[in-house]
Structure formats: C-alpha cells, structure tokens
Amino acid sequence: AKEAGRNTYRFYTEEMNSHALHRIRLEEELRYAIEHKEFILFYQPKLDLTSNDIHSVEALIRWQHRTKGLIPPIEFIPFAEETGLINEIGEQILDIACKQLQQWQQKSSPVEKIALNISSCQLDKPEQFFSGLEDRLNRYGLRRDQIKLEITEHLLMGKDDNVIAQLHHQRQSGLSVAIDDFGTGYSSLSYLQVFPLDELKIDQSFIRNLSENSKNKTLVQAIITMGHALNMSVIAEGVENQEQMDFLIDNGCDQAQGYLLSKPLPAEALDNWLADNFC
Ligand code: C2E
Ligand code: CA
Ligand code: CA
Ligand code: CA
C-alpha cells in the first residue's frame, strides 16, 4: 500500500493527492457511521409569533463521531450528497425524528411537528422517499401533518413534473413543505406559483444585518408581504437579538427561530428548556 501511495505522487500534486485521500477516508468513515448509526438529531424550536407558543421544531443532524466528537453537517452533508450516501443517512434521520415525535406525543409535549431538511438527491426517486416516509409514520403512529419538509429553491429547480405531482399529492394528505434559505437562490420567483409550498423561510443572511442595513429591512418586509399574498406562512431564521425579533413581530412575520430563543438542542435538553420556559 505504501508503494502505491508513493507512485501516485508522481502523477498528482501533493495537494491533490491529500485531497483525494481525505475524500477516501471520509467516505470510509461515513460508511462506518451509517453502519453504526452515529448520526443524531438536535432540535431547534420555532416560535409562533401570534400565539407565543412552540409547536414545532427543526431537526438538525450532527455526527457523533467516536473519537472526534460532534461533527457539524457542513463537514459531511455536501460530501454525502455528492456520493449519494445522503439517502441512507436521510432514512436514518427520518427514523430518529419519527421515533422522537412519538415519544413527545406519548408525554404530551407541546412539540407536535418536526421539520426535516431534505437534500436534492433524496427526491430523485420520490416514490421511494414517500413510501419510506409512509412506513415510518405508520410504525410510530404519526400523521402526515406532523412532518414538514424543508427544501431549497435549488432542489426544486432541477426537478421534473413527477416530483411536483408527488409533492402536491403529499400536501393534499397533510404533509407540508417549506422553502428554505429563501432569497439566496438565483432563479426567478415564478416557481413560487408552480410549486406546492406552505412556508417561506427567510434566509438568515437577511436577518443578520437587519438593524444596520435598511435595504434588508425593506427586503424582509417585501418577502413577508409576498409570502402572505401567496398564502404562505413566513418564518425568519437566525434571529439572534430582540431588535430583530421586534422588527419581525411588527411586520407580521408568522414564526421565528434562532439563538435568541434557543440553539438547537438534544431532545432531552429541549424538553427541559420547554418545561422551564413554556409550562
Ligand atoms: P439550514 O437548514 O439553513 O439550518 C440553519 C442553520 O443555522 C443550522 O446550522 C442552525 O444550527 C443554524 N442556526 C440556527 N439559529 C441560528 C442563529 O440564531 N444564528 C446563527 N448564526 N445560526 C443559527 P447547522 O445545524 O450547522 O446546519 C447547517 C446546514 O446543514 C443546514 O442549514 C442544512 O442545510 C444542513 N442540514 C442540517 N441537518 C440536515 C439534515 O438532517 N439533512 C440534510 N440534508 N441537511 C441538513
Ligand atoms: Ca433548514
Ligand atoms: Ca435555512
Ligand atoms: Ca442554510
């Protein structure tokens, strides 16, 4: 193996070689992680700005690595998407999320709904994806309206009519769909009419500079108005201070999510937080 390793240095630059090695290692590590179920979910509450209640959370993946500790999604999700490993990871996440929702249901937690982040390739075979979802809902005694899919504009752009038809069908039976990172894509807005969407999630980059940047204020107001005009609920992510929160409330935003309220937490920590703050 050492010999082969040396030989490759003749053909590739050292940098390219170490990059390739990194990818090979990461792929092995990810396969190991899938096999040993090393992925966990943290949950971040979504505050309903009308009722001041929390009924739903967003599930955010972390990799509980046996030696490296908690690894954030940015370090492995893009690679998992490239290699297609995201499909298996996605199935595990779905199972964890549904099991957790069942537990919350059994202890009468205020959390009734989970939003899941979905990568584009997970919807390449929509029938398979939705039948997997159906299985989990049945297994854990859940309804479709307890699940929200967070998808990006980018994901929608590449999809054919079949995916759109399936999403329509799923929505008719209760599933909801949010458009994530809204405002960061490059496409026209016409997809908002075409695609079946329930929720528009304003990207955190607009929220971050809200106070210093009056253009962002105008944009956020316009996005809220537009979302409502299209019958969508509007949520802001990345809300970190009270000033941002007040602006969103004053401008009729429906929900808010961010560190001001809570960071993403493991289920048990979220339960404690809810008990301390909302009961
Ligand atoms: P996203 O879906 O846009 O998630 C929002 C990110 O912002 C999360 O980072 C969250 O922890 C972080 N965040 C929440 N509130 C605040 C805040 O007030 N301030 C700041 N600065 N950040 C905040 P995270 O958990 O590292 O996730 C990063 C991205 O990884 C997600 O972006 C999503 O695209 C992806 N991801 C996470 N979980 C999954 C998953 O289960 N499946 C897939 N396919 N992608 C996932
Ligand atoms: Ca999201
Ligand atoms: Ca987002
Ligand atoms: Ca994002």
Side-chain angles (χ1 to χ4, degrees):
K2 233 177 189 175
E3 285 307 311
R6 273 203 194 108
N7 281 338
T8 54
Y9 278 88
R10 280 195 231 142
F11 300 101
Y12 304 101
T13 68
E14 198 158 325
E15 192 189 332
M16 271 173 77
N17 195 40
S18 79
H19 178 69
L21 273 177
H22 171 74
R23 291 176 61 92
I24 290 166
R25 247 181 241 132
L26 184 55
E27 180 161 355
E28 279 171 5
E29 288 270 336
L30 271 180
R31 289 188 190 281
Y32 181 95
I34 290 168
E35 196 179 330
H36 294 84
K37 298 200 161 39
E38 291 185 333
F39 301 104
I40 58 170
L41 288 177
F42 276 27
Y43 302 92
Q44 189 177 38
K46 297 183 172 189
L47 180 69
D48 185 321
L49 297 177
T50 319
S51 64
N52 245 328
D53 279 336
I54 285 163
H55 297 295
S56 63
V57 295
E58 176 178 4
L60 295 152
I61 193 173
R62 272 95 184 93
W63 177 1
Q64 179 80 71
H65 192 280
R66 58 211 173 284
T67 54
K68 293 177 194 153
L70 272 194
I71 303 181
I74 183 70
E75 290 183 32
F76 64 93
I77 289 289
F79 183 77
E81 288 172 343
E82 273 175 56
T83 51
L85 291 170
I86 192 68
N87 287 315
E88 283 174 76
I89 296 172
E91 278 176 36
Q92 291 190 7
I93 290 168
L94 188 59
D95 194 70
I96 298 169
C98 289
K99 193 185 266 176
Q100 184 56 52
L101 208 46
Q102 181 191 46
Q103 281 180 24
W104 277 327
Q105 197 154 277
Q106 285 167 351
K107 12 179 191 181
S108 306
S109 159
V111 181
E112 296 167 341
K113 195 164 178 164
I114 291 186
L116 296 168
N117 291 287
I118 303 299
S119 296
S120 185
C121 39
Q122 291 181 267
L123 287 181
D124 282 346
K125 293 180 185 148
E127 288 86 358
Q128 203 170 311
F129 176 82
F130 288 115
S131 83
L133 176 63
E134 191 74 39
D135 285 350
R136 290 306 185 294
L137 295 178
N138 292 336
R139 180 178 308 170
Y140 297 110
L142 304 169
R143 302 180 314 268
R144 272 218 195 81
D145 64 13
Q146 294 180 276
I147 302 293
K148 176 169 281 171
L149 306 183
E150 294 198 359
I151 62 183
T152 60
E153 200 178 321
H154 170 74
L155 178 151
L156 285 178
M157 291 305 99
K159 294 298 179 234
D160 59 19
D161 295 350
N162 181 31
V163 174
I164 301 166
Q166 296 266 341
L167 278 175
H168 268 293
H169 175 73
Q170 292 291 324
R171 267 188 80 218
Q172 274 160 7
S173 42
L175 183 92
S176 53
V177 182
I179 186 94
D180 204 352
D181 301 345
F182 184 79
T184 60
Y186 297 96
S187 57
S188 80
L189 293 173
S190 58
Y191 69 90
L192 289 176
Q193 308 175 294
V194 179
F195 290 104
L197 301 167
D198 303 272
E199 185 177 282
L200 195 157
K201 203 161 185 182
I202 308 174
D203 189 70
Q204 43 187 290
S205 58
F206 295 101
I207 309 300
R208 198 170 301 137
N209 305 310
L210 212 47
S211 50
E212 306 93 73
N213 188 331
S214 67
K215 272 188 188 154
N216 272 5
K217 283 189 178 165
T218 310
L219 279 172
V220 168
Q221 286 169 325
I223 294 172
I224 294 170
T225 305
M226 184 188 65
H228 288 164
L230 291 165
N231 265 328
M232 286 188 269
S233 167
V234 181
I235 179 167
E237 65 178 0
V239 180
E240 293 185 354
N241 61 51
Q242 192 60 45
E243 198 183 340
Q244 296 162 343
M245 185 66 96
D246 290 340
F247 181 84
L248 294 164
I249 293 170
D250 291 345
N251 287 282
C253 192
D254 302 287
Q255 295 178 80
Q257 195 184 337
Y259 295 168
L260 176 65
L261 195 63
S262 169
K263 292 198 170 186
L265 297 170
E268 205 185 293
L270 182 76
D271 289 343
N272 293 332
W273 180 83
L274 281 168
D276 289 345
N277 294 281
F278 284 85
C279 294

